[in-house]
Amino acid sequence: MPVGGEEYRILHPEAAEALIDEADFERDERLPYWADLWPSALALAGRLAAEDLRGVRAIELGCGVGLPSVVALRRGAEVLATDHYRAALDFAAHNARVNAGRELPTALLDWHSPPREPGSFDLVLAADVLYERRHAEALSRLVPRLLALGGEALVADPGREGCAAFLAALERAGLRVGSERRAVRQGGRGVGVYVHRISR
């Protein structure tokens, strides 16, 4: 698939619904959202493809199959890809090896119970992670903790209900929010996605 004028080969499961684990769903209504390549990931990847990210420390939250992480890696960033699913991290690492020729550091990360000191990053990335309100609340607490002084977050979202609450919580915490709309094509149709830029 073309991203920013360059070709990427992104491996992902053929049918996400086949990966539903009944025990995971019973425990916390967990669904394998990671297995799809969402329009928001394409929009965020396109945004990153125009950036010089050499020397930038980045983390992707809910990386799924890892397209934004892979693009950031190719643009020179040091990237940590995180997800709640081990299988997602395996796909992201594979896609990094295929497309960037480099190993992609990965880590399991539960947004609701993050490490006490999660580290600080110049760039926090997330694509279509606000599909549940509880995620919006957890991420509005986590993102500011991850941002280094002078850092920024890029959060791509198609307009899900949780996004407005997430952005409002960040603004109440004193962060600045700017938004741009990007159009991507997927499955032969155009899809509009907002990329929100969050900074201190």
Side-chain angles (χ1 to χ4, degrees), residues 16-17 19-34 83-87 108-110 112 131-132 134-135:
E17 60 271 11
L19 302 173
I20 294 174
D21 183 299
E22 295 297 333
D24 280 347
F25 186 80
E26 283 293 323
R27 184 171 55 253
D28 60 6
E29 297 185 358
R30 195 185 313 174
L31 292 168
Y33 296 116
W34 68 266
D83 204 283
H84 201 61
Y85 286 88
R86 171 59 61 190
L108 291 170
L109 179 62
D110 181 347
H112 303 276
Y131 39 83
E132 293 182 24
R134 64 192 182 102
H135 294 334

Side-chain angles (χ1 to χ4, degrees), residues 8-192:
Y8 288 79
R9 291 181 295 151
I10 301 297
L11 181 69
H12 59 90
E14 186 174 355
E17 60 271 11
L19 302 173
I20 294 174
D21 183 299
E22 295 297 333
D24 280 347
F25 186 80
E26 283 293 323
R27 184 171 55 253
D28 60 6
E29 297 185 358
R30 195 185 313 174
L31 292 168
Y33 296 116
W34 68 266
D36 283 315
L37 188 56
W38 298 96
S40 292
L42 297 173
L44 181 55
R47 171 73 162 70
L48 294 169
E51 300 287 331
D52 179 357
L53 298 176
R54 286 175 290 185
V56 170
R57 296 164 300 152
I59 183 171
E60 185 176 3
L61 305 175
C63 68
V65 296
L67 177 60
S69 285
V70 170
V71 173
L73 199 65
R74 273 179 54 167
R75 300 301 299 158
E78 301 168 18
V79 186
L80 174 63
T82 69
D83 204 283
H84 201 61
Y85 286 88
R86 171 59 61 190
L89 301 179
D90 293 340
F91 273 85
H94 169 83
N95 287 327
R97 286 191 294 271
V98 168
N99 292 279
R102 294 170 56 191
E103 291 300 317
L104 175 67
T106 63
L108 291 170
L109 179 62
D110 181 347
W111 305 331
H112 303 276
S113 301
R116 186 179 301 275
E117 298 295 334
S120 62
F121 298 87
D122 306 309
L123 184 60
V124 177
L125 305 171
D128 209 348
V129 295
L130 298 163
Y131 39 83
E132 293 182 24
R133 182 150 188 121
R134 64 192 182 102
H135 294 334
E137 294 168 359
L139 287 168
S140 69
R141 293 189 299 270
L142 178 59
V143 168
R145 293 179 61 202
L146 293 171
L147 282 177
L149 189 63
E152 69 177 22
L154 294 175
V155 177
D157 184 86
R160 298 199 187 275
E161 183 179 345
C163 189
F166 167 74
L167 296 176
L170 292 177
E171 288 181 323
R172 285 195 302 272
L175 279 73
R176 296 187 300 274
V177 176
S179 304
E180 64 179 84
R181 189 174 187 276
R182 298 182 69 93
V184 297
R185 293 199 66 78
Q186 189 176 51
R189 64 189 182 93
V191 181

